[in-house]
């Protein structure tokens, strides 16, 4: 789960039903989950079925600087004999690529839906990767769902089913070493981490005040825990924990950054006693050089494990 997907999960859980962006957030999250599922299946299949000499490196959710912004790559395959961008689509329906106007639409249950053109997305990603790495880069659109059918194919890039993808990539190998795969991978891994959550929050008009605050009960999902007798307790289901607040702190850091104002911390965790607050923040939100400020020790893996139980 990348940061964008995690942010959608946090917002979907904490935004009230009446918020103007609640339905848009839920819709985006549904699409993001489907996309991640397709990318995971693709990576798993390739690691199992792709047979190439030497090491093959798979990089997911890569953001490469391009012009005034960046190009996002679902999955990048780096090998000594080729580099290939995979644009993974986990969609159902009949697909139509307009080779004249370069538009794209699908027919699903008799409805025509216009969508972003995967070929245009792939072309941008290929150009960004090639320019950044300084090597020729291939590209392919991957259909991760067996319920998708191509009626009109794209003009400039191949589109293949997930089952056929290993064979397609094996055909790209020319039998001679062209690149230093490790060096290319190191260059890509040296890119700064991109966090677009702030612009996403602004687009959906999500602020701290618009969210349900408190430490969420992981069993009930929609109510807050209370700190009683040195533990977090849920009056509704009886759940209790000593460290449930750590997830809440990670959610805050994900959305708003790791700098935490002490005054905000009281509201965020739903406690009033300063000694209780300091005890809760002792190991997870350290004192900073600025009075009244804390630095949350970020741990994305904690959030991945937490939401992995919800969206498994």
């Amino acid at each position: 789960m990348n940061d964008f997907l995690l942010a959608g999960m946090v917002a979907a859980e904490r935004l009230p039903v009446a918020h103007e962006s609640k339905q848009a957030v839920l819709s985006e999250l549904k699409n993001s989950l489907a996309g991640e599922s397709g990318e995971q299946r693709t990576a798993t299949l390739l690691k199992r079925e792709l047979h190439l000499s030497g090491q093959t490196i798979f990089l997911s959710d890569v953001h490469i600087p391009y012009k005034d912004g960046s190009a996002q790559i679902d999955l990048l395959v780096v090998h000594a004999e080729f580099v290939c961008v995979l644009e993974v689509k986990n969609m159902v329906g009949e697909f139509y690529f307009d080779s004249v106007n370069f538009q794209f639409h699908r027919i699903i249950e008799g409805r025509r839906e216009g969508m972003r053109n995967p070929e245009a997305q792939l072309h941008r990603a290929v150009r960004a990767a090639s320019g950044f790495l300084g090597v020729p880069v291939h590209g392919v659109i991957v259909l991760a769902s067996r319920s998708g059918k191509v009626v009109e194919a794209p003009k400039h890039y191949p589109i293949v089913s997930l089952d056929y993808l290993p064979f397609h990539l094996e055909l790209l190998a020319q039998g001679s070493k062209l690149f230093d795969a490790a060096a290319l991978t190191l260059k890509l891994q040296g890119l700064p981490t991109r966090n677009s959550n702030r612009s996403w929050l602004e687009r959906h008009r999500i602020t701290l005040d618009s969210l349900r605050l408190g430490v969420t009960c992981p069993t009930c999902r929609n109510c807050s825990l209370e700190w009683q007798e040195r533990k977090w307790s849920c009056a509704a289901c009886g759940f209790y924990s000593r460290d449930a607040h750590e997830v809440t702190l990670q959610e805050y850091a994900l959305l708003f950054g790791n700098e935490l104002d002490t005054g905000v911390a009281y509201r965020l965790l739903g406690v009033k006693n300063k000694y209780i607050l300091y005890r809760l923040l002792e190991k997870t939100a350290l004192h900073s050089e600025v009075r009244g400020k804390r630095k949350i020790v970020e741990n994305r893996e904690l959030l991945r494990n937490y939401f992995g139980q919800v969206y498994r």
Side-chain angles (χ1 to χ4, degrees):
M1 300 178 187
N2 59 36
D3 283 2
F4 179 76
L5 183 57
L6 288 171
M9 292 174 175
V10 175
E13 185 170 272
R14 289 186 175 271
L15 275 179
V17 175
H19 190 276
E20 59 182 313
S21 296
K22 178 75 171 187
Q23 292 307 312
V25 167
L26 291 174
S27 178
E28 284 185 17
L29 179 58
K30 180 181 178 181
N31 292 336
S32 296
L33 286 169
E36 189 195 41
S37 174
E39 291 161 23
Q40 287 181 343
R41 290 205 307 276
T42 301
T44 299
L45 177 75
L46 290 179
K47 290 173 183 177
R48 185 180 69 244
E49 302 289 342
L50 186 61
H51 296 290
L52 294 169
S53 60
Q55 184 182 23
T56 305
I57 302 166
F58 304 96
L59 301 173
S60 60
D61 191 35
V62 180
H63 293 263
I64 297 180
Y66 184 65
K67 295 187 175 179
D68 293 331
S70 66
Q72 188 270 340
I73 297 175
D74 293 336
L75 192 62
L76 185 64
V77 183
V78 182
H79 186 264
E81 297 177 41
F82 68 87
V83 178
C84 187
V85 173
L86 308 185
E87 180 69 28
V88 181
K89 293 300 175 187
N90 190 22
M91 302 187 300
V92 301
E94 297 180 344
F95 309 136
Y96 295 80
F97 291 82
D98 183 345
S99 60
V100 177
N101 298 311
F102 295 100
Q103 296 177 325
F104 172 78
H105 72 272
R106 69 170 175 172
I107 303 294
I108 179 171
E109 297 178 350
R111 305 189 313 274
R112 183 184 187 278
E113 295 183 353
M115 306 175 72
R116 289 186 64 187
N117 190 339
E119 187 175 26
Q121 292 175 266
L122 177 59
H123 182 63
R124 190 172 189 273
V126 167
R127 292 191 67 176
S130 180
F132 180 75
L133 295 174
V135 300
V137 174
H138 296 275
V140 58
I141 302 169
V142 182
L143 296 182
S145 172
R146 292 190 176 92
S147 298
K149 178 184 178 182
V150 180
V151 179
E152 292 183 11
K155 184 176 181 180
H156 297 288
Y157 290 93
I159 182 167
V160 303
S161 67
L162 179 56
D163 293 333
Y164 182 75
L165 180 61
F167 301 99
H168 176 82
L169 294 179
E170 287 165 7
L171 291 174
L172 295 180
Q174 301 298 313
S176 59
K177 182 177 179 180
L178 303 175
F179 314 115
D180 184 336
L184 294 181
T185 301
L186 190 63
K187 186 174 183 180
L188 290 163
Q189 291 175 333
L191 287 168
T193 302
R194 180 177 180 271
N195 189 333
S196 58
N197 288 344
R198 184 173 298 278
S199 61
W200 182 80
L201 291 171
E202 291 174 353
R203 177 161 58 88
H204 287 301
R205 299 182 182 180
I206 298 173
T207 64
L208 182 67
D209 290 334
S210 66
L211 301 174
R212 173 184 56 78
L213 302 182
V215 178
T216 300
C217 174
T219 303
C220 298
R221 311 299 316 157
N222 59 359
C223 64
S224 297
L225 303 173
E226 293 184 9
W227 181 260
Q228 297 176 334
E229 299 179 354
R230 296 179 177 272
K231 64 179 180 295
W232 294 104
S233 303
C234 179
C237 70
F239 170 86
Y240 67 90
S241 167
R242 293 189 181 279
D243 57 7
H245 63 285
E246 293 182 8
V247 171
T248 303
L249 292 171
Q250 294 304 318
E251 290 176 332
Y252 180 89
L254 172 73
L255 296 182
F256 305 109
N258 68 347
E259 186 175 275
L260 177 65
D261 185 89
T262 305
V264 172
Y266 283 107
R267 297 172 52 214
L268 182 66
L269 301 183
V271 297
K272 297 180 180 179
N273 186 294
K274 70 176 182 179
Y275 299 107
I276 292 176
L277 181 69
Y278 292 168
R279 190 181 307 126
L280 293 173
L281 300 181
E282 184 178 6
K283 295 181 180 179
T284 52
L286 308 179
H287 286 286
S288 72
E289 296 177 357
V290 181
R291 182 178 175 83
K293 300 287 185 180
R294 295 267 186 156
K295 288 285 187 180
I296 298 172
V297 181
E298 296 191 53
N299 181 2
R300 291 290 191 271
E301 198 59 33
L302 181 63
L303 286 183
R304 294 187 184 99
N305 292 336
Y306 176 79
F307 283 110
Q309 297 299 312
V310 180
Y311 293 94
R312 57 184 173 183

